[in-house]
Amino acid sequence: MTDEHSRTDGGTASVDGDLPVGTGDRTETDHGLPPVTSIRRWLVTTNHKDVGILYVVTALFFLVFGGVLALLMRLQLWTPGATFLAPNAYNQAVSLHGLIMVFWFLSPFAFGFANYVVPLQIGAKDLAFPRLNALSFWLYLASGVLLGISFFQGGTFAGGWTMYAPLNIPTYTPSLGGSTAILALLLFVVSVTVSSVNFLTTMHRMRAEGLTLRHLPLFTWSILLTVWMMLFAFAALLAALMILSADRLLGTTYFAATSEGGSLLWAHLFWFFGHPEVYIVFFPALGAMAEMFQTFTGRRIVGRKWFIAAMVLVALQSFVVWMHHMFLTGINLQVKTLFMATTIGISLPFDLMVFSLIYTMIKGRIRFDTPFLFAFGALLLFIIGGITGVFLGAIVLDYEFRGTYWVVAHFHYVMVGGVTGLVGALYYWYPKMTGKMYDEFLGKVHFALYFVGFNLLYFPMFVAWETPRRVFDYAPELAPWHQLATVGAFVLAVSFAVMLWNMLTSLWAGDPAPDNPWEYSTTAEWAVSSPPPLENFPGSPTYGEGSLSFRQPRAADGGEGASRTDGGVVHAEGGAHAHREEHASHASIWPLVVGVGALFTFLGLSGLQDAAFPAGMEGMFYTTSLLVGSVVTFGALFSMARERFHGPEVEEAGEKWPFAGIENMKLGMWIFLASDVVLFGAFIGSYVFIRVAFGWTEWHTIAANPIPGLMNTYILLTSSFSVVLALVAAEKKNKWGVVGGLAVTFILGVGFLANKGIEWLHLYHEGHWLSTDIQSSTFFLTTGLHAAHVIAGLVITLYLIARALRGAYLEDSRPVEYFGLYWHFVDIVWLFLFPLFYIL
């Protein structure tokens, strides 16, 4: 089989995607799921393919939402100083356009494909934690609904999508809608964290036999690296948003304290997230482009291993370039020069990837189908975006270009260039996801309109670069270029209308899609029917002999059984083993209910002003929303914990390096705690940053008496020891030892909170509270975050005690062990907080 002509129309798929693939079993059973024509199906489903479709459809809605705001902006910019929108309305349109496109459209659109395709490409029957996958979607949708509500609360956030301090505090953006928009973004980040833990556990633990990391398809590689970046970058953003929410709702003074570096602190926190976010958005598009280049050139990617190495290098470097967004701040020249070097350096791996794609085209035989047109167009646009971005990496040029439309044009050539690749992915996987073929002629019309509209819209911005960003007034001589850009915006909008018409009409009247509509496709999703069966494969996928085949599971009596979609032994999501005859579960209503509860909870929080609700009916509404939402959320989480739900099995022979000896739940807990390390690190780092800016020795410590903190240190250390005793008792099958150990942990945790509450009350009576000064804000908020973790741990402890009283954990002690990991982490964090806030 040659590299140039790796056909996929019969046979099996290779490990690294350059051997043929065959067809899958079309048989499908619902296993408790309603049919796809039922609305209830989409409310209760946890299947990764259904969730992927939900993500794609919802993201396309937000594309329209953000696109309408963009068109309103372009109409305002038709002439200098126009008043089509009121000034504050224009600021809202600019801010929400950026937020919607970056957060609610780009990443969810990419992860719709990731949800659908990645388990198929790695030979998994679903993601590791199906209900968490559904939960991540419903939290995403709830956050989007909350963002929409913000427009009706006196106006939404109007401080720019980067939310620079101090414009992000109520003094400058006072509306309740501004707070709601920030809370919506915070809820979105929670959704991302849930999804990140799920994807990383799946890709590291549930790959088919023989599918090592080195042989992963390039799209899956791009998602793997993207999710690792998301785990850490979004944790930093979560910290920033929690602090900002506290400034707006509770009256803390982090970002209002400009003399103590509050504005610069926001820039550090935001851009530590913000620059990896560029690659978080672009990597999935890059991986999809690589798959399409292989398919439509009939050629394996040239320099595949170097392509992967370049992606890994970019993912690592993305966390050490954030300060190039801060060249105009007061950071000293030596630091700026260092970050200029890292910025130029990160462009080199991208050069390698671009040349790899170009040489793949030269070596192959190109077929200009619609998906490839968009993939090739994305490459051209990204090259322009990358070259113009190098200008901004140079300190001297950045002084000239920063805050101008040069940045706007460069940013869109990169980010919307990524959208171009993802639109190609939509056409590429549309037959697999729907079982129908799109209209090829309309697809090419879409590309022609898209490419012309894109360049008409954004390229004039380079020429009119002297236009100031986020301002609708500009020099009159630049008007023709802005008018050309406005025409381009409407052409681009028409192109998406053609796409949506093509997708919808093809869904109802398109030709049936074959299992593999592309002649040279190279990955495992094309080895099964279009759309794939519920549990993906007719048996257990294996690449043990270098190509994809299906090992038939044994029947319950030990003999060879018929092909079964659950592959035999099924493991529960919580770690308990199910009987061999049980299928994996695919339906649960509780993720939806948690999402609804979270929506009302966060809506209620948006009504807080300096830790108090407004008077009268308005305050009653927000208070009721908060209480009802909290009860619904907690009740749904409790019900989800009690629900009998069987997740997909982990194949014993599957590839799991480097986590072969770690179970799914334990790995998931480790990954979650890794993100929590960044969260607390950002809070602690913010305290240190502000204290250094204030003057380390001039800083007066709020908790002047270290005794309460020392007592709490001993209390928490003792509680960790009692968790260990509970685990030992469980392993020895000592029921009352388990109950006793957990009970002692609970009592000590309550003691910790009581002692902390007494200390807080004492400080309050001495005149220290959240809004008193920056010292008080940092102390109460950071120790409050830790206290919230303790409270969450105590709720879990009560649940464990209730189950232990009924004899749980004697046969399977792993839940106690996993809880212990969390509780020990909380204790370790306190060992950092105690000296920082009580001694130093």
Side-chain angles (χ1 to χ4, degrees), residues 340-370:
M340 181 177 70
T342 61
T343 300
I344 301 300
I346 203 171
S347 68
L348 300 179
F350 271 113
D351 295 342
L352 188 153
M353 288 185 276
V354 167
F355 282 116
S356 175
L357 294 175
I358 291 172
Y359 275 108
T360 301
M361 288 191 293
I362 293 173
K363 296 287 187 180
R365 297 178 183 176
I366 301 173
R367 293 154 188 82
F368 287 98
D369 291 340
T370 300

Side-chain angles (χ1 to χ4, degrees), residues 749-832:
V750 171
F752 173 90
L753 292 177
N755 189 33
K756 175 61 65 181
I758 293 171
E759 180 189 20
W760 280 10
L761 188 62
H762 173 72
L763 291 172
Y764 177 77
H765 286 302
E766 286 190 345
H768 300 294
W769 192 233
L770 285 159
S771 56
T772 304
D773 51 33
I774 188 61
Q775 294 93 335
S776 301
S777 292
T778 54
F779 173 78
F780 284 110
L781 195 61
T782 308
T783 57
L785 175 66
H786 179 265
H789 278 69
V790 173
I791 292 170
L794 293 181
V795 172
I796 298 171
T797 307
L798 278 179
Y799 177 77
L800 294 176
I801 291 172
R803 293 204 63 213
L805 285 170
R806 298 196 299 271
Y809 315 127
L810 302 183
E811 299 298 328
D812 184 3
S813 62
R814 288 174 296 178
V816 179
E817 179 187 0
Y818 304 152
F819 166 72
L821 292 174
Y822 172 83
W823 194 257
H824 300 327
F825 169 78
V826 172
D827 295 353
I828 290 170
V829 169
W830 180 255
L831 294 180
F832 285 90

Side-chain angles (χ1 to χ4, degrees), residues 494-649:
V494 170
S495 80
F496 278 109
V498 172
M499 182 195 78
L500 294 174
W501 174 260
N502 191 357
M503 297 296 160
L504 291 173
T505 56
S506 298
L507 185 63
W508 296 109
D511 294 332
D515 296 346
N516 178 22
W518 314 121
E519 189 175 5
Y520 295 103
S521 55
T522 60
T523 47
E525 71 269 28
W526 306 109
V528 294
S529 59
S530 299
L534 188 66
E535 294 183 355
N536 295 346
F537 303 105
S540 299
T542 176
Y543 291 86
E545 297 181 359
S547 59
L548 177 63
S549 59
F550 300 100
R551 184 176 60 249
Q552 301 303 315
R554 293 185 177 275
D557 59 2
E560 291 296 329
S563 173
R564 288 188 36 199
T565 56
D566 66 348
V569 178
V570 176
H571 297 279
E573 187 175 358
H577 297 280
H579 293 297
R580 185 175 292 267
E581 66 269 21
E582 291 187 81
H583 288 281
S585 303
H586 293 283
S588 175
I589 192 63
W590 299 117
L592 167 62
V593 180
V594 173
V596 172
L599 171 62
F600 282 98
T601 301
F602 277 70
L603 179 59
L605 284 173
S606 71
L608 281 174
Q609 300 176 46
D610 289 333
F613 288 105
M617 292 300 296
E618 183 183 9
M620 179 85 61
F621 169 79
Y622 287 111
T623 304
T624 303
S625 179
L626 176 60
L627 292 176
V628 171
S630 300
V631 170
V632 170
T633 303
F634 178 79
L637 288 171
F638 180 74
S639 298
M640 195 161 78
R642 289 177 52 82
E643 182 180 38
R644 182 176 176 82
F645 188 94
H646 300 289
E649 82 278 12

Side-chain angles (χ1 to χ4, degrees), residues 31-53:
H31 302 304
L33 271 181
V36 293
T37 54
S38 166
I39 294 178
R40 184 171 177 269
R41 161 71 169 248
W42 303 99
L43 299 179
V44 303
T45 185
T46 66
N47 184 264
H48 73 96
K49 296 182 291 297
D50 293 343
V51 173
I53 291 172

